[in-house]
């Protein structure tokens, strides 16, 4: 463990508590999930060539709505008010998805690129929920930590599903390219 004496004066005098930081991070992920549910996932489902991929996006949209409810429950353990703060990281990652749709026509190659873009979002979310879960545990918000862990596990499961699907669609893309040349 780092020696506490090394903590800078600036850090010691900061009025920002861990509760404040936890609250801010919760606002970020609240914005992230709402942005996903309203602007990103419906568009991705519509843009998918593979029916399996469309199903994964649609199922994840339903999961995301539940995840939003869990975050709202978590706000009850902070100050009871659910509010969001625009998350620039999520905005940039979502832009990556939209660029794929703009630049590529419907087909397996676009599906592969969509999965790649969405997996970046999943990894961001897994990391954000991991941080929040750790903080909730330290701050003794046990029920909150449990809710955050539940969502983190769902994100990890969605990421695995996307990896499996990407492998299958990659094979399909190779077959189509080979067909074109023979
Ligand atoms: Fe999520």
């Amino acid at each position: 463990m780092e020696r506490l004496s090394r903590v800078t004066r600036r850090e010691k005098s900061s009025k920002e508590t861990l509760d404040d930081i936890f609250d801010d991070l919760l606002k970020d992920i609240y914005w992230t999930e709402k942005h996903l549910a309203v602007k990103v996932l419906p568009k991705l489902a519509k843009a998918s060539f593979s029916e399996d991929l469309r199903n994964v996006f649609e199922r994840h949209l339903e999961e995301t709505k539940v995840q939003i409810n869990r975050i709202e429950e978590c706000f009850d353990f902070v100050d009871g008010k659910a509010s969001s703060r625009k998350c620039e990281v999520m905005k940039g990652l979502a832009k990556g998805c939209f660029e794929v749709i703009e630049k590529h026509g419907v087909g397996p190659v676009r599906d592969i690129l969509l999965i790649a873009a969405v997996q970046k979002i999943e990894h961001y979310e897994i990391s954000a929920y991991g941080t929040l879960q750790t903080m909730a545990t330290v701050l003794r918000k046990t029920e909150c930590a449990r809710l955050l862990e539940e969502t983190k596990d769902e994100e990890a499961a969605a990421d695995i599903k996307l990896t499996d699907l990407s492998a299958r669609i990659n094979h399909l893309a190779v077959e189509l390219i080979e067909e074109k040349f023979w």
Side-chain angles (χ1 to χ4, degrees):
M1 181 73 78
E2 283 286 299
R3 281 172 60 83
L4 283 176
S5 59
R6 290 187 58 207
V7 174
T8 60
R9 201 176 305 146
R10 193 169 152 209
E11 180 120 314
K12 276 183 192 164
S13 65
S14 167
K15 291 210 170 57
E16 203 173 37
T17 65
L18 273 189
D19 275 293
D20 295 333
I21 296 165
F22 180 78
D23 193 27
D24 280 347
L25 294 177
L26 213 50
K27 284 177 182 159
D28 281 354
I29 199 73
Y30 191 44
W31 190 90
T32 293
E33 296 292 16
K34 287 203 293 184
H35 193 62
L36 268 172
V38 178
K39 304 263 183 201
V40 184
L41 287 167
K43 212 168 175 177
L44 295 183
K46 227 171 138 187
S48 303
F49 169 68
S50 150
E51 211 178 304
D52 287 343
L53 184 58
R54 194 178 322 124
N55 288 338
V56 168
F57 287 144
E58 282 172 352
R59 228 171 303 134
H60 199 54
L61 173 60
E62 294 313 308
E63 277 178 340
T64 301
K65 289 175 188 168
V66 176
Q67 293 172 356
I68 290 170
N69 291 338
R70 284 195 202 113
I71 299 171
E72 286 166 354
E73 275 187 65
C74 282
F75 276 110
D76 288 339
F77 296 95
V78 186
D79 59 7
K81 269 191 302 177
S83 58
S84 59
R85 184 175 76 168
K86 189 176 182 181
C87 174
E88 294 297 339
V89 176
M90 177 58 202
K91 210 183 154 206
L93 292 170
K95 202 173 158 219
C97 295
F98 301 150
E99 278 174 4
V100 170
I101 297 172
E102 279 164 26
K103 287 183 191 159
H104 300 269
V106 181
V109 172
R110 175 153 99 175
D111 280 1
I112 291 164
L113 292 169
L114 282 180
I115 293 175
V118 163
Q119 281 192 294
K120 286 179 191 164
I121 297 177
E122 289 306 324
H123 284 234
Y124 168 67
E125 288 190 295
I126 292 165
S127 126
Y129 280 110
T131 301
L132 280 162
Q133 186 200 338
T134 302
M135 290 188 81
T137 305
V138 171
L139 294 168
R140 297 180 197 279
K141 301 176 197 296
T142 316
E143 178 57 12
C144 201
R146 192 195 61 74
L147 291 166
L148 293 162
E149 184 179 20
E150 206 175 326
T151 299
K152 187 184 72 179
D153 290 347
E154 270 176 14
E155 305 293 9
D159 183 53
I160 291 169
K161 253 184 244 160
L162 287 166
T163 299
D164 291 345
L165 198 48
S166 176
R168 277 164 41 205
I169 298 174
N170 265 284
H171 283 298
L172 179 66
V174 169
E175 278 170 29
L176 285 176
I177 290 165
E178 282 173 357
E179 255 176 43
K180 224 197 246 174
F181 287 102
W182 288 99

